[in-house]
Each structure stands twice: as C-alpha cells, then as structure tokens.
C-alpha cells in the first residue's frame, strides 16, 4: 500500500464550528461512526464502527507508517480524529512527533498526510468538496442528502415527545437513513479520489507540502489562553452592559435602548436623523451632535462593542490544557496562498494603545469592575484592548513577537525595480517619509521638517501601490485622517509620478497576462513567468510556487475597455467569473511572495515553538534566555530565490501577547 484515502463520519456533543476539531475530539462523547477508506486505487470500503466493524490491521499500520501517504479532503479533520481514536482504542499503536516538551504530543505526525482541499486551493478551486466537484464537473458528485444526514446523526438533537426524549439519533432510530449515510460516506471518498485523478497533471510542489506540515504543527501546538481572565472579562462585560443600559434608559426613556429601531426613532425625534447606527455613522454623528445627544451616542458606542465575543470564542476553542488549537487555515486565500484565520480569528484582533496595559489586565483578571469603572472612561474599550493579552506563554516561558517591516512595500519595489524605495530601505529610512519626500520633492522627517507630509506619504503607500485611486484613499480613511477631498487626486498623481517603475510594472503585467490568454503561450516580466496550460493561467513565482487562475478570458468591461476574467470564489462566496486587471494581479503576486517569505521564516525558525502568526508576524513561545535579536536576525534572512531583496524583522518580548 502506497496511499490510503480516508473519510470519516463522527459524532460529538461539542459544536465543531464554534470549537474546532481539537476540542471536538476531546469530548468523552466523541466517536467515529463510519470509516470510509480506499487502499491505493482499490474500491472504497466503508466500516460501520457502530455495528462492531473493526479497522483492518494494515490500515491501522498505515496510519503511523510514514511511507504510506494518507489522503483526505480537509485532512486535518481526519488526522486529529484518528489521533483521538488511536489514543483511546489502540494506545500501543499511537505515535506522536516532536519533543516531549512540545504541546503537539496528542496528535499524529502530519508529515505523511496530504490534503486534496489544499491541492484544490493551490489551483484556484473552492475549499469545499461539493464546490470542487462542481467546478471540475466530476462524474462523481457529493451527495446532496449529506447536510441533513450529518445534522441527524453527527450532532445532538433536542429531546421532544416525537423522538421519545432522546438527545441523539442512533442508526437504529432511522435504519433507512443510516444506509443512505453509508453511501454518502463512500461517495465522499470516491469524490476525493476523483479530484486527485483530475489534478494529477498539476502537482503541488513538495516545498508547499512542507509548508503545510509546518502549518499543521503550529495548529497542533496551539497557543495558551488565560481562561480565568477570559471568564472575568465576560462577567465584567455583562455588568458593564447592564450599567450602560440603565444609564441609557434614564437618558432616553426607551424600554430597550439596545434596539436599533428604537434608538434611531429616538434620535430622529431629537433632531438627529440617521439610516444606520454603525461604527462610522455614530462617529460622524458625534462631530455635530449637541452635548446631550453626544452622551447618548457615546453610551450607545460602548454598548455596541462586541469584544466579549472574542473572549467567548477563546472559551469555546480552548482544549483541556487551555491551549486554543486550529487557529489557521493553510491556503485560506487561494489567490495568493496566504493563511486565513479560524475560530478566534487572530487576524482581526483590536489593537492596544493603553500605556498601563498590565495594570488594567490585572484588574480584569481579579474581576475588579469598580476600579475599572472608576479609572477608565469606557470599560468596553478596556476589554477590547485587552483581548490580545489573554494569550499567554507557558509558566517559565515568554513570548517573542517578531514581524517584517513594510514587507509588501519592500517586495513591490523589488519586483518593479523602484530603486529610490529600495535605497530608502537600505538606508533604514521611514518609508512613509521617503515616499512623501519623493512625491513632494522636499525632505520629510517624522516629527521634524515637513513632518505634516508624512501622513500623505503613508496613506499613499497603503492605498496606491496596487492601482488604487481616490476611492482607495477614502477606503483607507483618508478623509477621517483630516485630508480634504480636493487633496486626494493630487496625492494619487504625485505617488504615481514618484513611482514610475511600479506603475509600469502594473501595465507590463496586464499586457503579459492578456497576451498569454490570447496566444496560449508564455511571457515573462521582471523574472515572473506567465504561462497557459489546460485552460489555466499560471504565474510562476521566484519561490517555485505557482498562482493559478481557472479558465481565464479577455472580456469587455463596463468602461468600454478589456478586462481579464477568470473563474473563482467571488464576493458572493459563489463560484463565478471574477474581473481583474494588471494592478490587481500585481497585488496577488506581491502578497503571494510576501507570504512565501513568511513561510521561509517559519521554516528557518521551525526549531522554535511557533504558536501563532498574524499577517506578517510570528509569535514564538520560548525560554527566558532566548534573544529577540537572534530571532529577528533569523526571521529577516533573505530567501535564496530573492537575491537583492532587503528584509528587516523587528521584535520584542512580552509576558502576554500585545502590540508593542
């Protein structure tokens, strides 16, 4: 046996969507119901473990045999479930990996596992088995009955008179459905095997599978959550909301000031009309509202804070050892291959700006609501800023947080040959000041000469690098920063004039992609190769990885010109035709290479306990004697496939996670 294709149907009383597979499998109620598998290309076998079927010896052997490749769609689910299964029923067969001090000890080594979902994502296809089957127009399609059967057999049910008060549906409760469920399990293995056959001419590079294994190790390791603090934060939030609601009731006379409809009507009756009570709308209203209404709006702002949801997500995801696992989806963004967040969503945590972070954190952990209410203007704001601090290292350890400095700006300048920007980085200059200086042809120093222009340089760097214009500046908050409407187009024009190589790069890429689609040939722009194969546009990156665009076409756009289009998951979350153009494809390329640099750093630092990563930042759990400078030096090493690219990593150490 060289490969084993697997699909499991399982039960647990833990909500998989809220808690993730690690916590899901820790429940005493967790069990594998059906075990579908195929040896190599053999027909699929379905084992009914509820009926006493036993897993064959060679299949059990294969689960820990590194020479047998295990395949599944979303393979992390099967790997973690089978880890729990082996530990419980075949403890003598269970083999973990890494060193004893590492918190991955309860899970099978991911090194011999492959995931057909990742393979699909690598080629620009959907992240669902149903979606991939439809996109590839497979003869074998996922059975439509599956969703209802999963709900029936795999999750608890509410006790009712009609079901004799049971809290779970067993095979004996619906034998006909159970037989269909076994067919569903068989079909999923067949679809997964069919996907592999269809994609065999487009293999995933071994280097990407190595990155996947590092990702799985980070997910297995998890990050420690201060559950005591999270619990106190939730209790304090409840008390704060009750207090704020009472104040609002007294000020407005409303029976439910949390009601958007009631609050909008009340504000309208007092001369302040608004269509929404969203964050931006309330902030805008506060600029002109009279003092009595300002107080109401500020209280409303505080009540609307949703920070407590993050603390609840921590409680849901934390395993028995208080570590939250499964936080990251490898290849979550298949345009670039970047990671996306799961469960607690570390990628969108509020920033912290409080100078007395440790003191405020101590008050929350002690449940001291009265002191918080006395010392701070807004208890909800305090709880929001403290979310990051609920992630902590193990006792006797510390966090080192290290991230790349201006990684996308560096990569974009490197790719396009924008020498003045690369020179600025080489001199260690502030990129926003350097950009403003190039735009306005005068020296700009942060907090110094012409310092007021730095803000314009910053917003230009953030908004204009990928073809953004006035709309992009507004979306980045240019008007909120105090810039005037009439300043925006001149900022765009000045940035483009100061960065001619970047703007040329956009349109060189645009032309190259269109030529490749028309001729089905190959083009190269500044070391980036574009080629067409089997109805796919590929962009070959310096790292050796490819970006894939399915069924690309040139079509007329709404402006009377031509646009590049391809099939992908669009803003509607459906498989549809997506419109693009040169600058947007340059954004994909730049973000993809930035992602490859992060993965190179993960590989360089794989001897460390990387327990999380956020955008271009690594969070490492380490001993007190580990040097921040040493970690940053290793993280900042330029990959051999990007000679001449100047990287810099900055870092700090902390006793809890925070933004320095």
């Amino acid at each position: 046996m060289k490969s084993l294709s697997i699909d499991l149907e399982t039960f647990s009383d833990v909500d998989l969507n809220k808690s993730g597979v690690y916590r899901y499998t820790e429940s005493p109620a967790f069990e594998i119901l059906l075990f579908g598998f195929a040896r190599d290309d053999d027909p699929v076998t379905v084992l009914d473990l509820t009926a006493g079927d036993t897993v064959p010896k060679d299949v059990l052997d294969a689960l820990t045999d590194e020479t047998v490749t295990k395949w599944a769609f979303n393979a992390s689910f099967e790997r973690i479930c089978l880890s729990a299964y082996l530990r419980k029923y075949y403890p003598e067969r269970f083999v973990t990996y890494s060193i004893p001090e590492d918190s991955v000890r309860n899970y099978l080594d991911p090194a011999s596992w492959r995931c057909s979902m990742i393979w699909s994502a690598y080629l620009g296809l959907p992240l669902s088995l149903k979606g991939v089957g439809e996109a590839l127009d497979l003869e074998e399609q996922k059975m439509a009955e599956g969703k209802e059967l999963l709900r029936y057999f795999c999750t608890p049910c509410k006790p009712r008179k009609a079901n004799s008060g049971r809290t779970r549906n067993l095979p004996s409760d619906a034998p006909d459905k159970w037989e269909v469920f076994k067919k569903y399990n068989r079909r999923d293995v067949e679809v997964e095997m069919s996907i592999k056959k269809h994609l065999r001419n487009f293999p995933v590079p071994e280097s990407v599978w190595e990155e996947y294994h590092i990702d799985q190790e980070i997910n297995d390791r998890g990050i420690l959550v201060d559950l005591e603090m999270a619990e106190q934060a939730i209790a304090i939030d409840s008390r704060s909301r009750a207090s704020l609601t009472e104040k609002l009731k007294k000020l407005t006379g409303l029976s439910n000031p949390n009601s958007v409809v009631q609050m909008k009507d009340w504000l309208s009756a007092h001369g302040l009309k608004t269509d929404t009570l969203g964050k931006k709308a309330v902030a805008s209203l506060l600029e002109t509202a009279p003092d009595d209404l300002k107080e109401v709006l500020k209280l409303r702002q505080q009540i609307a804070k949703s920070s407590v949801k993050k603390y609840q997500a921590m409680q849901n995801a934390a395993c028995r050892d208080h570590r939250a696992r499964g936080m990251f989806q490898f290849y979550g963004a298949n345009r670039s291959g970047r990671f996306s967040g799961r469960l607690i969503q570390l990628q969108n945590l509020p920033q912290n700006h409080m100078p007395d972070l440790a003191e405020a954190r101590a008050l929350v952990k002690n449940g001291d609501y009265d002191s918080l209410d006395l010392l701070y203007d807004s208890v909800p704001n305090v709880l929001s800023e403290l979310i990051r601090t609920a992630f902590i290292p193990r006792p006797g350890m510390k966090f080192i947080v290290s991230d790349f400095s201006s990684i996308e700006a560096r990569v974009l300048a490197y790719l396009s040959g924008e020498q003045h920007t690369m020179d600025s980085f080489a001199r260690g200059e502030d990129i926003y000041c350097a950009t403003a200086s190039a735009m306005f042809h005068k020296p700009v120093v942060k907090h110094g000469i012409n310092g007021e222009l730095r803000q314009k340089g910053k917003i230009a760097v953030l908004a204009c690098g990928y073809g953004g214009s006035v709309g992009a500046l507004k979306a980045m908050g240019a008007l909120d920063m105090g810039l005037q409407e009439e300043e925006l187009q001149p900022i765009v024009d000045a940035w483009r004039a100061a960065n001619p190589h970047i703007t040329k790069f956009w349109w060189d890429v645009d032309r190259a992609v269109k030529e490749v689609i028309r001729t089905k040939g190959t083009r190269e722009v500044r070391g980036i190769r574009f080629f067409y194969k089997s109805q796919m546009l590929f962009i070959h990156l310096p790292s050796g990885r490819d970006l894939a665009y399915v069924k690309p076409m040139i079509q007329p756009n709404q402006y009377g010109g031509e646009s590049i289009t391809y099939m992908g998951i669009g803003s509607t979350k459906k498989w549809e035709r997506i419109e693009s153009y040169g600058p947007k494809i340059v954004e994909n390329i730049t973000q993809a290479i930035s992602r490859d640099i992060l993965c190179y750093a993960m590989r360089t630092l794989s001897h460390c306990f990387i327990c999380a990563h956020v955008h271009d930042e690594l969070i490492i759990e380490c001993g007190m004697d580990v040097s921040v400078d040493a970690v940053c030096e290793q993280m900042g090493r330029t990959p051999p496939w990007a000679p001449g690219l100047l990287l810099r990593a900055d870092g700090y150490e902390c006793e809890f996670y925070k933004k320095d």
Side-chain angles (χ1 to χ4, degrees), residues 235-249 257-258 303 369:
I236 287 170
D237 178 79
S238 177
R239 188 170 169 184
S240 171
R241 291 174 74 85
S243 174
L244 292 169
T245 300
E246 280 305 309
K247 287 179 184 177
L248 268 180
K249 283 182 178 179
N258 288 312
I303 285 182
Y369 172 82

Side-chain angles (χ1 to χ4, degrees), residues 43-44 54 539 592 604:
V44 177
T54 56
I539 302 176
T604 302

Side-chain angles (χ1 to χ4, degrees), residues 436-473:
S437 181
M439 287 167 61
F440 302 109
H441 309 291
K442 58 179 72 175
V444 178
V445 179
K446 187 177 181 180
H447 305 311
I449 184 171
N450 300 314
E452 71 282 357
L453 295 177
R454 181 181 184 273
Q455 189 68 7
K456 295 181 181 180
K458 179 177 181 178
I459 196 72
V461 168
L462 297 175
C464 298
Y466 306 123
S469 188
V470 170
L473 288 169

Side-chain angles (χ1 to χ4, degrees), residues 11-31:
F11 175 87
S12 177
D13 55 0
V14 172
D15 189 321
L16 179 62
N17 292 323
K18 287 184 179 179
S19 300
V21 65
Y22 294 87
R23 174 78 181 275
Y24 176 88
T25 58
E26 281 191 345
S27 169
F30 166 75
E31 65 173 306

Side-chain angles (χ1 to χ4, degrees), residues 234-309:
I234 292 168
I236 287 170
D237 178 79
S238 177
R239 188 170 169 184
S240 171
R241 291 174 74 85
S243 174
L244 292 169
T245 300
E246 280 305 309
K247 287 179 184 177
L248 268 180
K249 283 182 178 179
K250 289 179 182 177
L251 287 171
T252 63
L254 295 174
S255 60
N256 180 16
N258 288 312
S259 165
V260 173
V261 174
Q262 286 188 31
M263 182 58 71
K264 281 166 60 178
D265 289 345
W266 186 88
L267 288 170
S268 180
H270 288 76
L272 209 59
K273 292 188 177 182
T274 180
D275 295 327
T276 175
L277 289 176
K279 186 177 179 181
K280 285 189 175 180
V282 173
S284 179
L285 290 171
L286 280 167
E287 294 177 6
T288 57
D291 289 345
D292 57 335
L293 296 188
K294 273 185 181 177
E295 186 177 359
V296 170
L297 288 169
K298 286 178 179 178
L299 290 170
R300 169 71 199 181
Q301 265 187 331
Q302 292 185 55
I303 285 182
K305 276 278 184 186
S306 59
S307 57
V308 70
K309 292 180 181 178

